[in-house]
Amino acid sequence: MFVQLLAATGVLAVLTMVPGPDMAVVTRRALASGWQDGLRTVGGISAGLLIWGALTVVGLAAVLAASATAYTVVKLAGAVYLCFLGVQALLQSRAGRSETPVAGAPVPAGNPWRTGLVSNVFNPKVAVFYTGLLPTLAPSGLPPHLGMTLLVLVHTALTLGWLGGYVLVLAKAQAFFGRPGVRRAMDRVTGVVLIGFGVKVAASQP
């Protein structure tokens, strides 16, 4: 069982490090309003994973993954939200054209924890990932529900560690990222990336 759990943790670690909407949202928030808000955003994302995990364990996420209508509703809501965040970033890059100090730069609206939570909860790929992959990774020596619960907790811990560490790395380089020209460029890049992920989510299939 230990070997199976170790192998499953390795798979989850690799998947956690693959760049996706969560990393783009965290990058946007951390660079725009500081590492504290970046960590709060990570906390919201982790809470979203726990919600998806709980739904998976009770079987509701499987219903979403199997229902084309439910999947479409969730994915379109998520796509709209990601595009909204992307447009917000692009507008902020235009608003921050003047060579003003970082302290005077506009801060994204909304609670960072809620931003992370909503962006994750409205990502239907998490439901598909949890219902399709977790059962195959769950250690055979444990009851299925307990095994999947353990893997959800492991995935959440990996996400906290990976994205939290990423935020702290960004904070160390704040002097560079805080330059007005760099901030504008990063706003534009993250804005385009978020919109791209929004379009990708909208076009995705279960």
Side-chain angles (χ1 to χ4, degrees):
M1 186 182 75
F2 177 76
V3 174
Q4 288 180 312
L5 180 59
L6 194 61
T9 300
V11 172
L12 292 174
V14 171
L15 293 174
T16 299
M17 291 186 286
V18 174
D22 289 344
M23 181 170 282
V25 170
V26 168
T27 302
R28 162 81 179 124
R29 197 77 200 203
L31 293 181
S33 51
W35 65 270
Q36 295 94 335
D37 273 7
L39 290 180
R40 293 186 186 102
T41 305
V42 174
I45 290 169
S46 300
L49 291 177
L50 292 176
I51 290 173
W52 277 120
L55 292 175
T56 300
V57 170
V58 300
L60 295 180
V63 175
L64 171 61
S67 170
T69 300
Y71 184 89
T72 299
V73 169
V74 173
K75 80 171 183 178
L76 290 180
V80 168
Y81 187 68
L82 289 173
C83 289
F84 165 75
L85 293 177
V87 170
Q88 186 184 58
L90 293 177
L91 292 176
Q92 180 165 317
S93 74
R94 293 175 59 85
R97 279 184 174 179
S98 61
E99 297 297 315
T100 55
V102 177
V107 176
N111 181 286
W113 188 89
R114 185 172 60 245
T115 297
L117 176 68
V118 172
S119 67
N120 189 272
V121 166
F122 282 107
N123 183 359
K125 284 298 184 181
V126 180
V128 176
F129 164 64
Y130 272 13
T131 58
L133 183 61
L134 285 194
T136 67
L137 295 177
S140 57
L142 294 174
H145 287 124
L146 183 57
M148 287 193 292
T149 298
L150 179 60
L151 291 184
V152 168
L153 294 177
V154 168
H155 186 220
T156 302
L158 290 171
T159 299
L160 276 170
W162 173 250
L163 290 181
Y166 174 66
V167 168
L168 296 180
V169 169
L170 290 178
K172 291 292 185 180
Q174 187 61 46
F176 171 75
F177 288 114
R179 297 174 184 173
V182 175
R183 288 179 63 88
R184 289 196 300 272
M186 289 301 298
D187 279 339
R188 290 166 186 163
V189 169
T190 54
V192 170
V193 169
L194 284 167
I195 292 173
F197 276 126
V199 173
K200 184 178 179 180
V201 168
S204 66
Q205 298 297 323

